Amino acid sequence: MKGQSRLVRMVWCLVDSAVIAISYFATEKISKLWGYAGLEETEILFVLSLLLSILTIQLFGLYGNWLRKPFGYVITSLVLAMITSASITGFLELFLSIRSIPLNLYLLILLSQSGLLMMVRFVLWKSYRKLGKEKVWVIGSSHFSVPASLFNDWYRVIGRSTSVEGWRNNTEAQEADVLLVGPDIIQSEKSVLMKWGMEKKREVLVVPELYELLIKRSVVEQLEDRMVFSIKPEATNHKGNEFLKRSMDLILSSSIILFSLPIQLLLFILIPLTSPGPALYKQERIGKNGRTFFIYKFRSMITDAEKLTGPILASKKDPRITTLGSWMRAVRLDELPQLYNVLFGTMSLVGPRPEREFFIKQFSSQYPDYKYRHIVKPGITGLAQVMGNYTTSPVEKLRFDLMYINNCNLWIDLKIMLLTVQVLLHKEQAEGLRNETVNQHDNSDPKRIKRNRAVH
């Protein structure tokens, strides 16, 4: 399966390279009609642009299983990837003194490449979906909810069982293209399902626990004549990694603070004018190794919002959120002061989101692995924020956080920061939608969907 995955990625790289090359050389022909005959002398710029385009498309996750994602996500990813690539190419063009081309031609190349890439991917995305829905069988306890997205035009849930025995005894279940396995299924039963998947060449989707997350980053080693998995302690506290991560935090946070100063000053004026109280508020959170610190935010709620209720999570359309606060939350401007937390060293740009002690105690009692989130510094953004949204449940966010902790490096941090820009452009992730899950007693009827308000 891994070999097939690499082959598919390679094919997509070749397809994108061909599309970018066609676009570039088509622009060369057009440039001659405009009286500019120097484009053919910019081969170095073309090669540099091609390599950067492929790299940024990879960074935005479009060489993975992108066909399962909404096409709006694909479009946003492609546009951001091409803009990022063009920006870096322009900078290197100046830095390396490479022969440049007129701005109008540069923009034409960017637009034609983006347009062709979108066109090719749309045709493939639409064609792939018309091949037929994949039949999904769910295996898990009644508490394991099924994402409502499985009722879109990609999947069709044909049924569910609470045990492997129930799945084995159901004839229709054996016809499933995909098995979705809940976290409550024991290891021995998961093994049975994985073997079935290998024999039948079917996909098995497993909701991972900490054990599976640790196994994912293991290294195969040999102990005399025995094969073993080496699972070493996470490398996030390695001095070299810490130095590089801290350096990136300082450079980027100070740069963003400088560029956003006009916006910060404007908010300092507007917030008190539109709602009585200070512009900033601070709140105690738990950071690395369980240490407490104060997090700073622009105030988006009325003053003393929790005076009568005590600590509660905000909901969508929460009456305590001010009009200006609602807008700030939508584009995450309320988080800007946390850049100073990064500058002071209590937070990082990327990491698990810091939480209050009140909620940590609640989550820790339900999910014992929650404590491992405090191995690293908390962040302004994280894997849970770019892969989920405000509505994502604490246990799902925990899985993303543990995945990040066990695999984090500067490359992953860079990718998460780029994906954060994409999240801000998608309203359902930036603001949060109602959390849709299938009624736990329902097998396949999309009309019987339980909707819970999002928590922020």
Side-chain angles (χ1 to χ4, degrees):
M1 292 296 289
K2 187 173 285 188
Q4 289 179 347
S5 177
R6 287 175 181 169
L7 179 62
V8 170
R9 287 171 185 266
M10 189 179 298
V11 169
W12 282 124
C13 282
L14 291 173
V15 169
D16 285 344
S17 298
V19 170
I20 291 169
I22 290 169
S23 171
Y24 191 88
F25 291 116
T27 307
E28 178 186 334
K29 301 298 182 184
I30 295 172
S31 69
K32 290 180 179 179
L33 297 176
W34 290 357
Y36 182 80
L39 193 59
E40 66 271 12
E41 299 175 15
T42 58
E43 291 88 356
I44 296 175
L45 186 63
F46 164 68
V47 173
L48 185 63
S49 175
L50 176 62
L51 292 174
L52 284 170
S53 296
I54 298 300
L55 181 64
T56 51
I57 291 171
Q58 162 68 17
L59 268 174
F60 279 94
L62 290 177
Y63 290 136
N65 203 354
W66 64 272
L67 286 164
R68 291 182 172 178
K69 299 181 184 296
F71 195 68
Y73 172 93
V74 178
I75 290 176
T76 308
S77 298
L78 276 174
V79 170
L80 288 174
M82 298 310 293
I83 290 174
T84 303
S85 171
S87 301
I88 298 173
T89 303
F91 173 78
L92 292 176
E93 181 185 319
L94 293 172
F95 184 74
L96 300 175
S97 300
I98 301 172
R99 180 187 174 95
S100 62
I101 59 177
L103 180 61
N104 58 345
L105 282 180
Y106 201 74
L107 291 174
L108 179 62
I109 291 171
L110 178 61
L111 289 172
S112 62
Q113 286 178 354
S114 301
L116 278 174
L117 286 170
M118 285 182 207
M119 192 183 306
V120 170
R121 286 185 179 253
F122 178 74
V123 170
L124 293 169
W125 181 85
K126 200 71 176 175
S127 301
Y128 198 62
R129 293 204 166 200
K130 283 187 176 180
L131 291 176
K133 295 181 180 179
E134 288 192 83
K135 295 179 288 186
V136 177
W137 187 272
V138 182
I139 305 174
S141 71
S142 58
H143 299 292
F144 175 51
S145 58
V146 183
S149 59
L150 291 187
F151 290 121
N152 65 16
D153 58 352
W154 184 248
Y155 295 102
R156 179 166 61 90
V157 177
I158 60 174
R160 69 178 299 160
S161 54
T162 56
S163 67
V164 171
E165 191 63 30
W167 160 79
R168 187 185 285 117
N169 295 331
N170 191 297
T171 307
E172 189 180 14
Q174 305 304 308
E175 300 300 318
D177 301 309
V178 180
L179 295 183
L180 176 59
V181 185
D184 51 296
I185 300 300
I186 60 175
Q187 200 66 35
S188 60
E189 292 190 333
K190 285 180 182 178
S191 179
V192 170
L193 298 171
M194 297 300 289
K195 289 175 182 176
W196 177 85
M198 289 177 63
E199 292 171 2
K200 302 292 185 180
K201 293 183 172 54
R202 309 285 175 80
E203 185 177 10
V204 180
L205 301 175
V206 179
V207 179
E209 291 302 292
L210 179 61
Y211 169 78
E212 283 94 1
L213 292 171
L214 290 173
I215 285 291
K216 186 181 183 300
R217 65 180 297 272
S218 64
V219 177
V220 178
E221 292 188 2
Q222 185 177 347
L223 190 62
E224 293 184 352
D225 61 344
R226 295 183 179 181
M227 183 181 73
V228 294
F229 282 167
S230 172
I231 306 171
K232 296 179 181 178
E234 43 76 31
T236 51
N237 290 326
H238 189 276
K239 294 298 180 184
N241 288 341
E242 282 192 339
F243 174 77
L244 290 173
K245 187 174 175 69
R246 182 62 183 148
S247 299
M248 185 171 71
D249 283 345
L250 287 171
I251 294 169
L252 292 179
S253 63
S254 56
S255 301
I256 298 171
I257 285 171
L258 287 173
F259 280 112
S260 65
L261 268 178
I263 297 173
Q264 293 182 55
L265 291 173
L266 183 63
L267 291 176
F268 263 110
I269 297 170
L270 290 178
I271 293 171
L273 287 177
T274 56
S275 171
L280 281 178
Y281 90 98
K282 65 179 183 178
Q283 195 175 68
E284 194 174 80
R285 300 286 175 101
I286 305 298
K288 184 178 179 181
N289 298 325
R291 297 193 188 100
T292 59
F293 72 99
F294 284 104
I295 193 173
Y296 295 92
K297 281 190 173 189
F298 280 120
R299 183 173 57 84
S300 59
M301 289 188 172
I302 60 174
T303 308
D304 297 326
E306 294 182 335
K307 186 175 182 180
L308 299 177
T309 61
I312 58 171
L313 294 170
S315 62
K316 191 181 180 183
K317 296 183 180 178
D318 194 312
R320 300 172 299 163
I321 300 174
T322 64
T323 303
L324 179 61
S326 179
W327 175 77
M328 285 194 299
R329 281 173 169 247
V331 290
R332 303 285 173 89
L333 288 180
D334 59 321
E335 313 280 6
L336 275 177
Q338 290 171 47
L339 291 166
Y340 295 97
N341 284 111
V342 175
L343 207 59
F344 300 150
T346 53
M347 289 179 65
S348 178
L349 287 171
V350 180
R353 287 293 295 159
E355 195 48 84
R356 286 185 275 178
E357 187 176 12
F358 177 85
F359 295 114
I360 288 174
K361 287 180 177 178
Q362 283 187 351
F363 297 147
S364 296
S365 63
Q366 294 175 302
Y367 318 115
D369 296 335
Y370 198 84
K371 61 184 178 182
Y372 295 115
R373 294 175 79 257
H374 301 125
I375 289 175
V376 298
K377 281 183 183 179
I380 295 178
T381 186
L383 190 61
Q385 281 63 54
V386 299
M387 299 302 288
N389 51 48
Y390 276 130
T391 73
T392 305
S393 67
V395 66
E396 294 301 333
K397 286 184 177 180
L398 174 60
R399 289 190 179 98
F400 286 124
D401 288 336
L402 294 178
M403 173 66 81
Y404 169 77
I405 290 168
N406 284 302
N407 296 276
C408 65
N409 53 53
L410 289 183
W411 177 259
I412 296 293
D413 281 6
L414 177 61
K415 185 173 181 178
I416 289 172
M417 282 187 275
L418 288 172
L419 289 173
T420 299
V421 178
Q422 183 189 54
V423 167
L424 294 176
L425 298 176
H426 284 270
K427 189 176 181 181
E428 66 270 18
Q429 282 187 284
E431 291 184 321
L433 293 176
R434 290 178 297 184
N435 188 20
E436 296 186 338
T437 56
V438 176
N439 189 304
Q440 62 185 23
H441 301 297
D442 185 35
N443 285 339
S444 58
D445 187 358
K447 294 179 181 178
R448 295 176 62 188
I449 295 177
K450 179 181 177 182
R451 289 180 168 87
N452 297 316
R453 288 289 181 182
V455 288
H456 292 203

